[in-house]
Amino acid sequence: MQKAIESVLAQTYQEFELIVVNDGSSDNSLEVVHNLQLSTINYQLLTQTNQGVSVARNNGVKAAQYDYIAFLDADDWWEPTYLEEMKRLIEEFPEAGVYGSSYFKVKNGQFIQAVIGVGPNFNCGLINYFQVYAKTMYMPLWTGATIIKKSIFESEKGFKPELKLGEDFDLWVRVALNYPVAFVNKPLSNYNQDVDLQYRAIGEKLYRPEEHMLFSNYVELIKNPDFRFLFERLALYGLLPYYLSGKNKKEVTEILAGIDWAKHELKYKLYYRILPKSLVICWTFVLKLCSILKRKKLVGSQ
């Protein structure tokens, strides 16, 4: 948390308020906050019982006094010019409802720039969120590099508290369907993936249907062809552990029945429709093992 807050304090643009939401933390987060001596800035500390990231963010937005909202989780941090350059983007595209920047994924100590699906000469402008996301499968709106108008956040009723995975995707797609999305193709934030998996929503945990955005009711959104293609790409990747384990079988079967297989990679047709599950399970185990060995090799070489 200290690095996250210090990155906010180090911004070249200083006209902001800082709202820290303590979601029932049991570590030394409060001590870190108090030691930073934030009394000299416009600052609020909100404390609540543990209710999850969505409720924490929603409560933070309710307390906010400014018209634009930026989010930053405790393990991530901004580059010093993040707010300055995002303010410039807002001024250039005031008609947009949400604003994003590129970012670095920090994994195994390495900084990897997100491969956002815009052209090589794209600097900034309005984007088709769904097409850009589907092109490379890198999120053009990652929450730690996204700013949204407070009025739009409130009109969309914010993050859904029941979702434990994909609550950010769920909000961004609802906003992107109704408002322009502005994007600056410069890495201005850092997405830290070198944290214990028990503190991250992603990983090997399988969620109940009501907790996972892939099982949300997108009946209306699916009518948009760009959304449908992106959703199918995400579903084919994200549903595989559920398909192989048999968890949420009814919901998985319904989603797969609506896939337009001709529009997607052949490997998914093999995984879901041709090869026996036992063979796919063996193959995914091999892929996982190779990934672990590669990660250990990278760490060992540092």
Side-chain angles (χ1 to χ4, degrees):
M1 175 178 283
Q2 181 169 340
K3 189 169 186 176
I5 294 178
E6 287 177 343
S7 79
V8 175
L9 301 179
Q11 290 297 298
T12 55
Y13 178 77
Q14 286 282 308
E15 189 180 340
F16 62 80
E17 62 174 338
L18 173 63
I19 300 173
V20 178
V21 183
N22 173 32
D23 186 34
S25 174
S26 59
D27 57 17
N28 67 335
S29 296
L30 286 179
E31 181 181 346
V32 169
V33 172
H34 292 313
N35 289 341
L36 286 171
Q37 299 180 348
L38 301 175
S39 59
T40 59
I41 67 168
N42 189 357
Y43 157 70
Q44 296 184 59
L45 173 62
L46 308 180
T47 298
Q48 62 183 42
T49 57
N50 182 260
Q51 298 174 69
V53 64
S54 293
V55 174
R57 290 172 179 163
N58 290 346
N59 287 339
V61 174
K62 287 179 185 177
Q65 301 172 36
Y66 282 71
D67 294 331
Y68 291 88
I69 306 296
F71 302 95
L72 187 64
D73 288 347
D75 296 309
D76 308 317
W77 64 96
W78 290 335
E79 294 297 309
T81 61
Y82 175 72
L83 289 181
E84 177 185 345
E85 300 198 47
M86 293 296 277
K87 178 178 182 289
R88 190 177 302 126
L89 187 67
I90 292 170
E91 292 173 340
E92 189 168 352
F93 302 97
E95 71 273 25
V98 64
Y99 303 83
S101 84
S102 185
Y103 50 93
F104 288 111
K105 288 174 58 179
V106 184
K107 193 168 186 177
N108 302 319
Q110 296 189 327
F111 288 73
I112 306 163
Q113 184 172 344
V115 185
I116 306 298
V118 293
N121 298 319
F122 182 96
N123 294 316
C124 68
L126 299 179
I127 63 170
N128 181 313
Y129 170 83
F130 307 105
Q131 292 180 2
V132 169
Y133 194 163
K135 188 173 182 180
T136 63
M137 297 306 287
Y138 272 80
M139 301 174 289
L141 293 177
W142 165 60
T143 303
T146 296
I147 291 179
I148 185 172
K149 287 181 178 177
K150 182 178 179 180
S151 59
I152 292 175
F153 183 93
E154 291 174 333
S155 69
E156 292 293 334
K157 305 188 185 309
F159 298 101
K160 293 178 180 176
E162 65 272 18
L163 290 178
K164 307 301 181 186
L165 184 65
E167 75 289 334
D168 45 0
F169 169 86
D170 176 81
L171 175 58
W172 305 143
V173 296
R174 286 185 277 126
V175 172
L177 199 65
N178 296 303
Y179 303 92
V181 176
F183 183 80
V184 56
N185 193 27
K186 182 177 181 180
L188 298 173
S189 190
N190 299 276
Y191 181 13
N192 184 18
Q193 299 189 338
D194 284 339
V195 294
D196 194 320
L197 285 178
Q198 67 174 310
Y199 300 118
R200 295 177 59 194
I202 64 173
E204 297 183 355
K205 181 178 179 180
L206 299 181
Y207 294 85
R208 299 192 303 273
E210 63 272 19
E211 297 177 325
H212 196 310
M213 62 88 180
L214 284 176
F215 301 106
S216 297
N217 183 358
Y218 290 130
V219 173
E220 290 302 315
L221 276 73
I222 211 75
K223 295 175 183 177
N224 180 295
D226 290 332
F227 171 82
R228 177 178 177 178
F229 180 70
L230 171 61
F231 178 81
E232 288 185 358
R233 287 207 69 183
L234 291 168
L236 289 172
Y237 175 80
L239 291 180
L240 192 58
Y242 294 86
Y243 168 75
L244 295 177
S245 68
K247 186 174 178 64
N248 302 340
K249 184 176 181 179
K250 175 178 176 290
E251 291 80 6
V252 171
T253 301
E254 289 176 354
I255 294 172
L256 293 179
I259 296 291
D260 186 347
W261 297 94
K263 293 183 177 180
H264 301 284
E265 297 169 82
L266 175 61
K267 67 178 182 180
Y268 290 118
K269 192 171 184 178
L270 291 172
Y271 292 165
Y272 288 106
R273 305 188 71 186
I274 298 176
L275 297 176
K277 281 188 179 181
S278 58
L279 185 57
V280 180
I281 290 172
C282 290
W283 176 239
T284 55
F285 175 79
V286 170
L287 292 177
K288 179 181 177 181
L289 182 60
C290 290
S291 177
I292 293 172
L293 293 175
K294 181 180 179 181
R295 186 163 61 248
K296 287 184 176 180
K297 183 178 180 181
L298 284 172
V299 173
S301 64
Q302 294 175 8

